[in-house]
Coordinates of all heavy atoms in Angstrom, one line a residue:
K65 N 93.3 111.0 103.2 CA 94.5 110.4 104.0 C 95.1 111.5 104.8 O 95.3 112.7 104.5 CB 95.5 109.9 102.9 CG 96.4 108.9 103.4 CD 97.3 108.3 102.3 CE 96.4 107.5 101.3 NZ 97.2 106.9 100.2
G66 N 95.2 111.1 106.1 CA 95.9 112.0 107.0 C 94.8 112.8 107.8 O 95.1 113.5 108.8
R67 N 93.5 112.8 107.4 CA 92.5 113.6 108.0 C 91.4 112.7 108.5 O 90.8 113.0 109.6 CB 91.9 114.6 107.0 CG 92.8 115.5 106.4 CD 92.1 116.7 105.6 NE 91.4 116.1 104.5 CZ 90.0 116.2 104.3 NH1 89.4 116.8 105.2 NH2 89.6 115.7 103.2
F68 N 91.1 111.6 107.8 CA 90.1 110.6 108.3 C 90.7 109.3 108.8 O 91.8 108.9 108.3 CB 89.2 110.3 107.1 CG 88.3 111.4 106.6 CD1 88.4 112.7 107.0 CD2 87.4 111.1 105.6 CE1 87.6 113.7 106.5 CE2 86.5 112.1 105.1 CZ 86.7 113.3 105.6
T69 N 90.0 108.7 109.8 CA 90.5 107.5 110.4 C 89.3 106.5 110.5 O 88.3 106.8 111.0 CB 91.1 107.7 111.7 OG1 92.2 108.6 111.7 CG2 91.6 106.3 112.3
I70 N 89.5 105.3 109.9 CA 88.5 104.3 110.0 C 88.9 103.2 111.1 O 90.1 103.0 111.3 CB 88.2 103.6 108.6 CG1 87.1 102.7 108.7 CG2 89.5 102.8 108.2 CD1 86.7 102.1 107.3
S71 N 87.9 102.8 111.9 CA 88.3 101.8 112.9 C 86.9 100.9 113.0 O 85.9 101.3 112.5 CB 88.5 102.5 114.2 OG 87.4 103.3 114.7
R72 N 87.1 99.8 113.7 CA 85.9 98.9 113.9 C 86.1 98.3 115.2 O 87.1 98.1 115.8 CB 85.9 97.9 112.8 CG 87.0 96.9 112.7 CD 87.0 96.1 111.5 NE 85.8 95.2 111.4 CZ 85.4 94.5 110.3 NH1 86.2 94.7 109.1 NH2 84.4 93.8 110.2
D73 N 84.9 97.9 115.7 CA 84.8 97.2 117.0 C 83.9 95.9 116.7 O 82.7 96.1 116.6 CB 84.1 98.0 118.0 CG 84.1 97.3 119.4 OD1 84.1 96.1 119.5 OD2 83.9 98.1 120.4
N74 N 84.6 94.8 116.5 CA 83.9 93.6 116.0 C 83.0 93.1 117.1 O 81.9 92.5 116.8 CB 84.9 92.5 115.7 CG 85.5 92.8 114.3 OD1 85.0 93.6 113.5 ND2 86.6 92.2 114.0
A75 N 83.3 93.3 118.4 CA 82.4 92.8 119.4 C 81.1 93.6 119.4 O 80.0 93.0 119.8 CB 83.1 93.1 120.8
K76 N 81.1 94.7 118.9 CA 79.9 95.6 118.8 C 79.3 95.6 117.3 O 78.3 96.2 117.1 CB 80.1 97.0 119.2 CG 80.5 97.3 120.7 CD 80.7 98.7 121.0 CE 81.1 98.9 122.4 NZ 81.3 100.3 122.8
N77 N 80.0 94.9 116.5 CA 79.6 94.8 115.0 C 79.3 96.3 114.5 O 78.4 96.5 113.8 CB 78.2 94.1 114.9 CG 78.2 93.1 113.8 OD1 79.3 92.7 113.3 ND2 77.0 92.6 113.4
T78 N 80.3 97.1 114.8 CA 80.2 98.5 114.5 C 81.6 99.0 113.9 O 82.6 98.6 114.3 CB 80.0 99.4 115.7 OG1 78.7 98.9 116.2 CG2 79.8 100.8 115.4
V79 N 81.5 99.9 112.9 CA 82.6 100.5 112.2 C 82.4 102.0 112.4 O 81.3 102.5 112.4 CB 82.7 100.1 110.7 CG1 81.5 100.5 109.9 CG2 84.0 100.6 110.1
Y80 N 83.5 102.7 112.5 CA 83.6 104.1 112.7 C 84.4 104.8 111.6 O 85.2 104.3 111.0 CB 84.1 104.4 114.1 CG 83.5 103.8 115.3 CD1 84.0 102.6 115.7 CD2 82.3 104.3 115.9 CE1 83.4 101.9 116.8 CE2 81.7 103.6 116.9 CZ 82.3 102.5 117.3 OH 81.7 101.8 118.3
L81 N 84.0 106.1 111.4 CA 84.9 106.9 110.6 C 85.0 108.2 111.3 O 84.1 108.9 111.6 CB 84.2 107.2 109.2 CG 85.1 107.9 108.2 CD1 86.4 107.2 107.9 CD2 84.4 108.4 107.0
H82 N 86.3 108.5 111.7 CA 86.6 109.8 112.3 C 87.0 110.8 111.2 O 87.9 110.6 110.6 CB 87.7 109.6 113.4 CG 87.3 108.7 114.5 ND1 87.0 109.1 115.7 CD2 87.2 107.4 114.6 CE1 86.8 108.1 116.5 NE2 86.9 107.0 115.8
L83 N 86.3 111.9 111.2 CA 86.6 112.9 110.2 C 87.2 114.2 110.9 O 86.5 114.8 111.7 CB 85.3 113.4 109.4 CG 84.6 112.3 108.6 CD1 83.8 111.3 109.5 CD2 83.6 112.9 107.7
N84 N 88.4 114.4 110.6 CA 89.1 115.6 111.1 C 89.4 116.6 110.0 O 89.5 116.3 108.9 CB 90.3 115.2 111.9 CG 89.9 114.4 113.1 OD1 89.1 114.6 113.8 ND2 90.7 113.2 113.3
S85 N 89.7 117.9 110.4 CA 90.1 118.9 109.5 C 89.1 118.9 108.2 O 89.6 119.0 107.1 CB 91.6 118.6 109.0 OG 92.4 118.6 110.1
L86 N 87.9 119.0 108.5 CA 86.9 118.9 107.5 C 87.0 120.0 106.5 O 87.3 121.2 106.9 CB 85.5 118.7 108.0 CG 85.2 117.3 108.5 CD1 84.0 117.3 109.5 CD2 84.9 116.4 107.3
K87 N 86.8 119.8 105.2 CA 86.7 120.8 104.2 C 85.3 120.9 103.5 O 84.6 119.9 103.6 CB 87.8 120.5 103.2 CG 89.2 120.4 103.7 CD 90.1 119.9 102.6 CE 91.6 119.7 103.1 NZ 92.4 119.1 102.0
P88 N 85.0 122.0 103.0 CA 83.6 122.0 102.3 C 83.5 121.0 101.3 O 82.3 120.4 101.0 CB 83.7 123.5 101.7 CG 84.5 124.3 102.6 CD 85.6 123.4 103.0
E89 N 84.6 120.6 100.6 CA 84.5 119.5 99.6 C 84.3 118.1 100.1 O 84.1 117.1 99.4 CB 85.8 119.5 98.7 CG 87.1 119.5 99.5 CD 87.6 120.9 99.6 OE1 86.9 121.8 100.0 OE2 88.9 121.0 99.4
D90 N 84.3 118.0 101.5 CA 83.9 116.7 102.1 C 82.4 116.5 102.3 O 81.9 115.5 102.7 CB 84.6 116.6 103.5 CG 86.1 116.5 103.4 OD1 86.6 115.8 102.5 OD2 86.7 117.2 104.3
T91 N 81.7 117.6 101.9 CA 80.2 117.5 102.0 C 79.7 116.5 101.1 O 80.1 116.5 99.9 CB 79.6 119.0 101.6 OG1 80.0 119.9 102.6 CG2 78.1 118.9 101.5
A92 N 78.9 115.5 101.5 CA 78.4 114.4 100.8 C 77.5 113.6 101.8 O 77.5 113.7 103.0 CB 79.5 113.6 100.4
V93 N 76.7 112.7 101.2 CA 76.2 111.6 101.9 C 77.1 110.5 102.2 O 77.7 110.1 101.1 CB 74.9 111.0 101.2 CG1 74.3 109.9 102.1 CG2 73.9 112.2 101.1
Y94 N 77.4 110.1 103.3 CA 78.4 109.1 103.6 C 77.7 107.7 103.9 O 76.7 107.6 104.7 CB 79.2 109.4 104.8 CG 80.3 110.5 104.6 CD1 79.9 111.8 104.2 CD2 81.6 110.2 104.5 CE1 80.8 112.7 103.9 CE2 82.6 111.1 104.2 CZ 82.1 112.4 103.9 OH 83.1 113.3 103.5
Y95 N 78.1 106.7 103.2 CA 77.6 105.4 103.2 C 78.5 104.4 103.8 O 79.7 104.4 103.5 CB 77.2 104.9 101.8 CG 76.1 105.7 101.2 CD1 76.4 106.8 100.4 CD2 74.7 105.5 101.3 CE1 75.5 107.5 99.6 CE2 73.8 106.1 100.7 CZ 74.2 107.2 99.8 OH 73.2 107.9 99.2
C96 N 78.0 103.5 104.6 CA 78.7 102.4 105.2 C 78.4 101.2 104.3 O 77.2 101.1 103.8 CB 78.3 102.1 106.6 SG 78.9 100.6 107.3
A97 N 79.4 100.4 104.0 CA 79.3 99.3 103.1 C 80.1 98.0 103.5 O 81.1 98.3 104.2 CB 79.6 99.7 101.7
A98 N 79.7 96.9 103.1 CA 80.5 95.7 103.5 C 80.7 94.8 102.3 O 79.8 94.8 101.3 CB 79.8 94.9 104.6
K99 N 81.8 94.2 102.2 CA 82.1 93.2 101.1 C 83.0 92.1 101.7 O 83.6 92.3 102.7 CB 82.8 93.9 99.9 CG 84.1 94.4 100.2 CD 84.6 95.3 98.9 CE 84.6 94.7 97.7 NZ 85.6 93.7 97.4
G100 N 83.1 91.0 100.9 CA 83.8 89.8 101.5 C 85.3 89.8 101.2 O 85.9 89.0 101.9
S101 N 85.8 90.7 100.4 CA 87.3 90.6 100.2 C 87.8 92.0 100.1 O 87.1 93.1 100.0 CB 87.6 89.9 98.9 OG 87.2 90.7 97.7
E102 N 89.1 92.1 100.0 CA 89.8 93.4 100.0 C 90.1 93.9 98.5 O 90.8 94.9 98.3 CB 91.1 93.4 100.8 CG 90.8 93.3 102.3 CD 92.1 93.1 103.1 OE1 93.1 93.8 102.9 OE2 92.1 92.3 104.1
S103 N 89.6 93.2 97.6 CA 89.8 93.6 96.2 C 88.7 94.6 95.8 O 87.6 94.7 96.3 CB 89.7 92.4 95.3 OG 88.5 91.7 95.4
D104 N 89.1 95.4 94.8 CA 88.1 96.3 94.2 C 87.5 97.2 95.2 O 86.2 97.5 95.1 CB 87.0 95.5 93.4 CG 87.7 94.7 92.2 OD1 88.6 95.3 91.6 OD2 87.2 93.6 92.0
L105 N 88.1 97.7 96.2 CA 87.6 98.6 97.2 C 87.0 99.8 96.6 O 86.2 100.5 97.2 CB 88.6 98.9 98.3 CG 89.0 97.7 99.1 CD1 90.2 98.1 100.1 CD2 87.9 97.1 99.9
H106 N 87.6 100.3 95.6 CA 87.2 101.6 95.0 C 86.0 101.5 94.1 O 85.6 102.5 93.5 CB 88.4 102.2 94.2 CG 89.5 102.7 95.1 ND1 89.8 104.0 95.2 CD2 90.4 102.0 95.8 CE1 90.8 104.2 96.1 NE2 91.2 103.0 96.4
S107 N 85.5 100.3 94.0 CA 84.4 100.1 93.0 C 83.0 99.9 93.8 O 82.8 98.9 94.4 CB 84.6 98.9 92.2 OG 85.7 99.0 91.4
P108 N 82.2 101.0 93.8 CA 80.9 100.8 94.6 C 80.1 99.6 94.2 O 79.5 99.0 95.1 CB 80.2 102.1 94.3 CG 81.3 103.1 94.0 CD 82.3 102.3 93.3
G109 N 80.2 99.2 93.0 CA 79.3 98.1 92.5 C 79.8 96.8 93.1 O 79.0 95.7 93.0

Side-chain angles (χ1 to χ4, degrees):
K65 203 170 293 182
R67 299 188 299 119
F68 292 7
T69 302
I70 189 171
S71 61
R72 66 190 295 168
D73 185 338
N74 286 341
K76 295 182 179 179
N77 227 16
T78 300
V79 62
Y80 305 97
L81 185 67
H82 298 257
L83 297 75
N84 297 315
S85 302
L86 282 160
K87 304 175 182 180
E89 51 264 43
D90 294 317
T91 295
V93 177
Y94 283 71
Y95 296 92
C96 176
K99 66 191 305 291
S101 74
E102 293 178 39
S103 61
D104 299 322
L105 293 175
H106 290 250
S107 302

